[in-house]
Amino acid sequence: MFASPVELFETVYGGMIYPIAVVEQESLKVTYINTTLRNLSGVERGIKVGQILDTALKTASGDIVESALFHKVSTETNPLDCHCLINLGVTFSLHLKPVQLDSEHFFVLQFDNIAMPTSNDKVCNDRLAFAMNEACDGLWDWNIKTNAVYFSPKLDRMLGFEPGEREPDVNGWLSLVHPDDQPVALSAIEKHLQGDAEYYEAEYRIATKDGQWKQVHDRGLSCEWNNEGKPTRAVGMLSDITAYRSLEAELRNTLERFEDYASSGSDWFWETNANLVVTDIGGRPEHESSIHLAQLIDQNLIHTLREQEQTEAVLALRNNQPIRNIRFAIGTQEYWVNLSGRPVFDQQGQLTGYRGIGENINEQVKLENTVRSYQKNSEIMMEKAPVAIGIVDEAGNFFYANESFTALNKCNYEQLAAKYQENRELSRPDRELFRSAALGEHTSYEMVLETLDGPKFFSVTKFLTRRAEDQCLLAITMIMDITYSRQQEVEQKKVEMVLDNIAEGILITDADHRIVSANNSLLRETGFTMTELVGQTPSVLSSGRYDRIFYQEMWSQVHQTGKWRGHLWNRKKDGTVLRQKVSIQAITVNDDVQHYIGIYSSSQQSTSEQDSEMFNLQCDPLTGLPNRALLQDRLHMACQRGRASRQSVEVSLIKISNREELLEQFGHTACDEVLKKLAFRFQDCLSLDDSIGRYGVDEFIVIRERNLETKITDILGNITEQQIILSDGGQVTVKIGLHSASYPKDAHSPQKIIRQLRSKTTELK
């Protein structure tokens, strides 16, 4: 527990020979007066503990003492001349010094040159002599001519002697002064006797009768002089400040402890004795630790360290060096802390112990372990990466190759390293890379290797780095197989060529109905450019013949069923209106719509387009479906895509088995109407990913590449017998046969799969 301010003031100022008072800075309320001031009865009547100072003092100019005046005088070197208001006969010079204890601010007042009333000199001199004797621990009176010294009984008793027991001269006194402090005391006396100092003052150690050392404060001045102005007599007072200096050292030690703790921002502090046994420990509460810091008291700090860290700590102790960043774990579960400390010495320079701080680094250690785990996982990922990685230095030494790199070179790491060790020659790209010596930059190129499976394409990236331990320059090579992506690019170009050359117009939007692409047929037919369409909505083609409700219902059906088919009047860029057959299909991934595809074809009522050469070449004039030539082309492309992506393609043949009977019973016109209605019914059941066309007089072919887990019979329903109502009201029963085959499972070419399906139909017949 710390002492109160009054106790501290008593310890510091209680033994001084000067009259001292301490007041609060703001209120000027007297907090403390020392013994010397208390024994000067004249002043005592003017200044008392608890009194407000401005009711007791007045300056020489007649001004009442105020706090602002004290603040001003405390910054100057000249004293303030004052006198007591209650006892106007007492005048003095006042020295002020501001001090702070924790958050409290005080003025320390020292009264000098006190002049007592002349009418009662004897009484006042007696009082002053009594006050001086009581204010110190002893008086001395030195006859400079004879070197004889008078020591007061109180001074002798302070040192353990009986009055008159020791020699009353200067040499006897100097024999008691500590040898190291004698030069300081003699130098201070000499300066005063030579007139270089107003008074003599020194602080030194002096021996007692039992051999102990006391710290004393000695102060005196000359009081008699000869005709030449040389001092012949000096008097002074001696005060025992041993307790004060011990308290001061303790306070300084405590201050250093808290300064170490506060400045470090650490979690706790610790102290040990010279044998490193913990004597004090404290700080913030521990977190997650199953041991309390207090349990470390009386334990040897070395024994709490791990074996590998004990050596480092002991070595620091032997050399009186600081302990830095020593880690150890405490508790039943490892809870990591970091210790730092420094040696503590006493006034004689002897090691008394260690003092330091501790920091909870449990989270830091956890993070480091996590980083190491990530590094280990990164090494595993690097080793198992599909990208081939190899590392060489500038001298041609091979350092590293992962599994993909060794597999690409068809040899193991040892064989690769031996090959580089034997040749000691870098490849041309590596030589150029080291020649550039540009860290962080990279070079990339592609290469092609001919294999039994055909050409393989690789992307190669090279860059420089430095090895951490010796800053050696390394070249890292990363090789990625891009054969599949190159094949996909070729296939994508083929698809784009087909889309740009088919008769139907294709419009693709994102999930928000914003146009992202269109093929050449749609651009030619509408007159728009790609730049004009991208970012717009399909409403840019609106003719204005339909209201908002119509489009809301149309898109509602798309959102609910994923598709919509019908006829729309659209407008070209030049304002011309044309009627088109439109199919809209939603493209989903994991049940989320990614795109919408619209297919625009000229309506059968638009005779100018129906009669076009392109339509006749690619479409069946009766049903409007792709004819045999276009269907064979689509089947060929579907098989190519399936081969590249290793996916199956399903081909189905739909045949009207009773066409001849219908022809005899209803005639050609009715049969043509049956074919058109069946074509529309089949087309309505299929998605935009599927293709259907008229392959023969009574045959339809369906090509499916996606969602093959759903059977064609589930999509078309029960089609073995279809009831068709003719335009004249007659009803026709159509018998249908359905056969399916898979590429490449059932056949390895488009032609073979068609022949296989037709042979099945013939066998059934």
Side-chain angles (χ1 to χ4, degrees), residues 329-348:
I330 58 178
T332 54
Q333 297 180 346
E334 284 194 340
Y335 184 78
W336 290 92
V337 297
N338 190 35
L339 292 186
S340 296
R342 58 184 176 86
V344 180
F345 303 93
D346 60 15
Q347 293 182 351
Q348 285 72 39

Side-chain angles (χ1 to χ4, degrees), residues 81-313:
D81 293 328
C82 295
H83 59 267
C84 182
L85 289 177
I86 298 177
N87 189 351
L88 298 178
V90 179
T91 61
F92 47 83
S93 294
L94 193 60
H95 295 271
L96 291 93
K97 180 181 179 182
V99 297
Q100 177 179 350
L101 290 178
D102 295 331
S103 61
E104 298 183 74
H105 298 266
F106 302 90
F107 282 121
V108 177
L109 283 62
Q110 177 180 321
F111 299 85
D112 285 343
N113 304 321
I114 301 177
M116 304 298 290
T118 57
S119 61
N120 197 8
D121 287 342
K122 183 178 184 306
V123 175
C124 292
N125 287 335
D126 291 342
R127 289 174 177 172
L128 181 60
F130 174 77
M132 292 177 64
N133 186 59
E134 292 299 320
C136 63
D137 293 301
L139 300 175
W140 53 264
D141 188 341
W142 176 29
N143 188 325
I144 300 176
K145 291 187 296 182
T146 64
N147 254 357
V149 182
Y150 165 76
F151 299 106
S152 68
K154 187 176 181 181
L155 190 151
D156 284 333
R157 285 193 295 272
M158 180 193 76
L159 299 178
F161 295 99
E162 292 298 326
E165 184 180 348
R166 55 195 178 91
E167 292 296 327
D169 57 26
V170 170
N171 294 330
W173 177 258
L174 286 176
S175 66
L176 298 176
V177 178
H178 195 285
D180 294 341
D181 297 341
Q182 286 182 12
V184 176
L186 292 174
S187 176
I189 292 174
E190 187 66 25
K191 285 183 179 180
H192 174 62
L193 295 180
Q194 295 292 334
D196 296 332
E198 181 181 355
Y199 51 84
Y200 153 70
E201 186 173 23
E203 186 176 312
Y204 52 84
R205 287 166 288 177
I206 190 169
T208 63
K209 184 177 180 179
D210 59 2
Q212 301 294 320
W213 293 100
K214 284 183 177 291
Q215 195 83 14
V216 295
H217 179 265
D218 197 1
R219 182 181 173 93
L221 52 81
S222 303
C223 59
E224 292 182 6
W225 298 265
N226 60 19
N227 294 333
E228 298 176 355
K230 300 289 186 180
T232 60
R233 182 186 175 195
V235 295
M237 297 180 291
L238 199 72
S239 298
D240 183 0
I241 60 172
T242 305
Y244 167 70
R245 287 289 178 250
S246 297
L247 178 61
E248 185 183 58
E250 183 179 346
L251 290 174
R252 184 167 53 249
N253 185 36
T254 303
L255 180 61
E256 289 177 357
R257 290 173 58 194
F258 280 97
E259 283 179 347
D260 286 344
Y261 178 55
S263 62
S264 67
S266 299
D267 297 303
W268 43 281
F269 65 91
W270 55 270
E271 283 188 283
T272 71
N273 59 19
N275 296 322
L276 217 67
V277 174
V278 179
T279 58
D280 191 12
I281 195 166
R284 303 175 190 170
E286 308 82 15
H287 300 288
E288 305 176 19
S289 174
S290 58
I291 186 172
H292 295 288
L293 295 178
Q295 296 180 13
L296 294 176
I297 291 180
D298 296 332
Q299 293 190 34
N300 191 298
L301 193 60
I302 291 293
H303 297 161
T304 65
L305 303 180
R306 296 181 302 177
E307 183 177 351
Q308 61 266 34
E309 291 168 342
Q310 289 183 7
T311 303
E312 182 180 346

